[in-house]
Amino acid sequence: MTKNRCVIVAPDKFKGSLSAPRVAEAVARGLREAAPDVDVRLLPVADGGDGTVDAAVAAGFLKVGRWVTGPAGKPVPASFAVRGTTAVVEVASAAGLTLLDEPAPLTATSHGVGELLKAALDVGCTTIVLGLGGSACTDGGAGMLEALGEASFDGVDLVLASDVDNPLLGPSGAAAVYGPQKGASPEQVEILEARLEAFASRVGLEHAGRPGAGAAGGIGFAALAVLGARFRPGIEVVLELAGFSEAVRDARLVITGEGSLDAQTRHGKAPYGVVRASGDVPVVAVAGQCSVEPGDLGLKAAYALLDVEPDITRCMARAESLLTELGGRIARDWVSE
């Protein structure tokens, strides 16, 4: 075994099961048990959705807690991450779908997102990354702007991090594509579309077609049109925050992953971003399930939990121990000589 080359473990979360840090830790246990001398570096990642703040904290950011207005209008505990003058704010933390007891497609608000952004400004941050995934609202960012009030973004670099680049309006827009996922009926989708169009007409309709304007129920639109934000693929932003390009220079292997490796993985998802950022270093993946050929994603191999435990209920219950088992298998296949 080559001792002076590290193995980087850089997975996204397994949605509904394990956070990215827990996935990384479970895989690392298996690696170290099977190859005790291996230098393992954990760099859990995210694509801009829920887990983005956790990825920043794993990269050395400090987590800061705040109570904010949740999507249902009630106070909820939320957090953002800070390192120096850079903050990472997550829409899902303040306006996430998981914060609702029941769907509220017509009334969920982004107000708490504005409160988190204001808190980041108040502690002196001049670069703010806003992760746009996992929202419960389709208010075009109106609640966010209301919460910000007269807060100034002059001299602030606001970076929108997302794995989707939908426009605000139309058949591929925020209401039509994501409204049903938030509980909207076909009739409610039409209501939301009309509201978004009216709001955009007041705020700046020319921004409605920009990539990312439809992200997070239109929060992307408000940020682009009013706050002077710029849009970037979420995984690229998170990899920069984590110092991935520097770490991978010393790597002999990168392990990435997510809950489901499928046809959507190529479209802005974290594992594909990790593959693209790894250059000539081989990349393998762990996943709950894999429905594509690993080579189609640039992977050398994929290790799926369901291949080890086909019963999905038992598989989810044993996810961490199964990931440790797969970590050992990866060590034997790719690290040990």
Side-chain angles (χ1 to χ4, degrees), residues 19-105:
S19 66
R22 287 178 67 187
V23 174
E25 289 162 4
V27 172
R29 280 196 296 272
L31 284 167
R32 290 170 175 143
E33 288 171 4
D37 292 333
V38 69
D39 176 12
V40 182
R41 301 184 189 178
L42 276 57
L43 292 177
V45 298
D47 55 20
D50 49 319
T52 299
V53 166
D54 285 343
V57 171
F61 281 65
L62 175 68
K63 182 177 282 191
V64 179
R66 289 288 188 277
W67 281 88
V68 301
T69 304
K74 300 176 182 178
V76 296
S79 60
F80 61 102
V82 176
R83 184 172 65 193
T85 58
T86 298
V88 178
V89 177
E90 187 180 293
V91 165
S93 178
L97 195 58
T98 59
L99 299 175
L100 292 177
D101 294 327
E102 58 185 22

Side-chain angles (χ1 to χ4, degrees), residues 46-49 52 129 131 160-164 231-241 268:
D47 55 20
T52 299
V129 174
L160 305 183
S162 177
D163 67 340
V164 302
F231 178 84
R232 292 187 62 198
I235 182 59
E236 292 184 7
V237 176
V238 172
L239 289 174
E240 283 185 10
L241 295 175

